[in-house]
Amino acid sequence: RVMLLQLSETDGRGAPTERGPLADSVRTYSASISASGKQRQWQVGLQLFEDMRDADLQLDVICYSAAIGACEKGRQWEQALHLFTGMASRLRPDVICYNAVISACEKGQQWAWALYLLGDMRQARLQADIIGHSATISACEKSGHR
């Protein structure tokens, strides 16, 4: 079984803040998913994400971003895209989500998806940043589309 990271949130003066147990659970899961991705253990991150669903925790953009990022770091572009499209049907993706899925497509040399997502980002009235643009350019270069 996977052990979750234990997080402690403070009020800026070092005193713990009062938060509900569900909010703390969501933060803990999200941080653990993100840590799994950074350790190149994308499967663990996805299992934690599924555990959240099974526990009926409220999945938010941060949870999805962490899971998509774990897939990106594990070079699992199809899984990242699947998570992104599932999230987009329920929540409004932010720039971080778009960057993560575009980066996953870049690592998978999926230039067409990277370009599509960059355009979709503009249609959603989100300002693409250097990360999204660079990943899209890199995806095109890697597949010979300059």
Side-chain angles (χ1 to χ4, degrees):
R1 201 72 185 139
V2 177
M3 183 178 292
L4 295 179
L5 297 174
Q6 294 299 313
L7 299 180
S8 172
E9 186 163 323
T10 62
D11 65 1
R13 294 172 293 181
T17 58
E18 302 240 352
R19 297 174 49 94
L22 289 180
D24 287 339
S25 293
V26 171
R27 286 184 58 85
T28 301
Y29 269 104
S30 296
S32 296
I33 292 167
S34 182
S36 297
K38 290 176 184 172
Q39 295 298 315
R40 306 284 192 254
Q41 296 180 359
W42 64 272
Q43 300 98 329
V44 173
L46 286 184
Q47 183 57 58
L48 289 169
F49 186 80
E50 290 303 317
D51 290 349
M52 288 183 76
R53 280 188 177 156
D54 293 344
D56 289 327
L57 293 174
Q58 185 68 36
L59 300 174
D60 60 14
V61 174
I62 296 169
C63 302
Y64 275 99
S65 292
I68 292 167
C71 291
E72 177 257 325
K73 287 172 182 55
R75 300 184 178 275
Q76 301 298 311
W77 71 269
E78 289 172 310
Q79 187 65 42
L81 194 57
H82 176 73
L83 287 168
F84 181 83
T85 56
M87 180 199 67
S89 68
R90 294 186 268 293
L91 300 168
R92 185 174 189 264
D94 61 9
V95 173
I96 295 168
C97 286
Y98 272 101
N99 285 344
V101 73
I102 289 170
S103 292
C105 291
E106 178 257 333
K107 285 184 174 62
Q109 298 182 0
Q110 299 299 311
W111 65 272
W113 275 113
L115 281 173
Y116 172 81
L117 290 162
L118 190 66
D120 191 54
M121 192 176 189
R122 288 188 183 131
Q123 283 187 329
R125 299 184 189 267
L126 292 172
Q127 183 66 41
D129 61 11
I130 188 91
I131 296 168
H133 282 112
S134 295
T136 303
I137 291 167
S138 178
C140 292
E141 285 178 341
K142 286 179 180 179
S143 38
H145 291 82
R146 295 178 186 225

